[in-house]
Amino acid sequence: MRNINKIIWGVILLAVGVIFALNALGVTNIDFWFPGWWTLFIIIPCGVGIFTGRDRWGNVFGLLVGVSLLLWQLDIVDLSFLWKLIVPAIIIVIALKMIIRGLGQKDSEKVIDISINASSGTAIFGGKEMNFDGQVFEGCELTAIFGGVECDLSRAIIEKDCVIKATSIFGGIDVMMPDGVNVKVNSTNIFGGTDDECNRNPNSSVTVYVEAVSIFGGVDLR
């Protein structure tokens, strides 16, 4: 999946480079600076994310917002009309996501809550570093709001299934996972992203469940 992502972005950059070259040679006269050109920074990543990302619902919502803003910039729709639709659109997307996930969830899937012994780390307009070297890890709750949280589990002792809840709002959360454990990620991204690069072991006796929420932020799992 990562290779497909690189290929798609490579094709997009190649197309942009070719157009710039043709414009410079006078072969074409394509204007990149049309009204609302900045919405492409929303539309293109979300469009790519629908086919390559984990959180397709978040990317679908982002794509709808980006296209709506572009239509507004092109004077095709009125801004006041868009504002009336934004809140209902958020509710509908979240509701559909919950319904589809509920219908698709197997009875055999294990659902666990975060342990009462779980740790917590919060960074608001600042930074927070957490290191669990040689410690028994039973889960944690991480929150980054206009800040950053780094949680190092690379040498932690994980004896049973546990949960990591990571919420990033205009911030970033980095989690370094240990080798030899299985990792299952459930993410919700709105103008944000969850990057999963864990070296997981599906045959492990323990599983780390990650519940990630990124709103104008990011959660990185390594």
Side-chain angles (χ1 to χ4, degrees), residues 57-91:
W57 284 105
N59 286 309
V60 167
F61 175 73
L63 180 63
L64 291 175
V65 171
V67 171
S68 299
L69 292 174
L70 177 60
L71 294 176
W72 165 58
Q73 286 288 293
L74 295 175
D75 292 326
I76 297 176
V77 296
D78 186 71
L79 181 60
S80 61
F81 177 73
L82 289 180
W83 279 115
K84 292 178 182 179
L85 291 179
I86 286 179
V87 173
I90 294 175
I91 296 173

Side-chain angles (χ1 to χ4, degrees), residues 38-219:
W38 51 269
T39 61
L40 295 179
F41 289 101
I42 301 174
I43 295 172
I44 293 177
C46 290
V48 173
I50 290 175
F51 300 99
T52 62
R54 286 180 173 271
D55 186 22
R56 288 181 171 83
W57 284 105
N59 286 309
V60 167
F61 175 73
L63 180 63
L64 291 175
V65 171
V67 171
S68 299
L69 292 174
L70 177 60
L71 294 176
W72 165 58
Q73 286 288 293
L74 295 175
D75 292 326
I76 297 176
V77 296
D78 186 71
L79 181 60
S80 61
F81 177 73
L82 289 180
W83 279 115
K84 292 178 182 179
L85 291 179
I86 286 179
V87 173
I90 294 175
I91 296 173
I92 290 171
V93 169
I94 294 176
L96 287 174
K97 182 177 180 180
M98 293 173 64
I99 292 171
I100 292 175
R101 280 188 173 172
L103 292 174
Q105 186 178 35
K106 299 178 182 178
D107 293 336
S108 59
E109 288 184 357
K110 187 173 185 179
V111 179
I112 60 176
D113 294 322
I114 191 166
S115 169
I116 59 174
N117 297 320
S119 303
S120 64
T122 302
I124 302 176
F125 291 98
K128 174 75 173 181
E129 293 185 3
M130 305 174 68
N131 192 308
F132 291 87
D133 285 2
Q135 301 179 40
V136 176
F137 179 76
E138 297 186 7
C140 65
E141 191 163 359
L142 309 174
T143 304
I145 303 175
F146 290 97
V149 176
E150 183 176 295
C151 180
D152 189 352
L153 304 176
S154 57
R155 296 180 179 84
I157 301 172
I158 302 179
E159 301 174 330
K160 59 182 179 180
D161 293 353
C162 58
V163 177
I164 296 176
K165 292 186 177 181
T167 303
S168 174
I169 303 175
F170 289 97
I173 296 177
D174 293 325
V175 181
M176 281 71 77
M177 292 288 188
D179 293 332
V181 300
N182 189 26
V183 180
K184 291 188 177 181
V185 181
N186 179 23
S187 64
T188 299
N189 305 310
I190 300 177
F191 296 112
T194 300
D195 189 11
D196 179 11
E197 297 183 355
C198 296
N199 183 21
R200 51 174 49 81
N201 177 14
N203 298 319
S204 172
S205 59
V206 296
T207 299
V208 178
Y209 295 86
V210 180
E211 298 286 339
V213 176
S214 299
I215 303 175
F216 290 96
V219 176

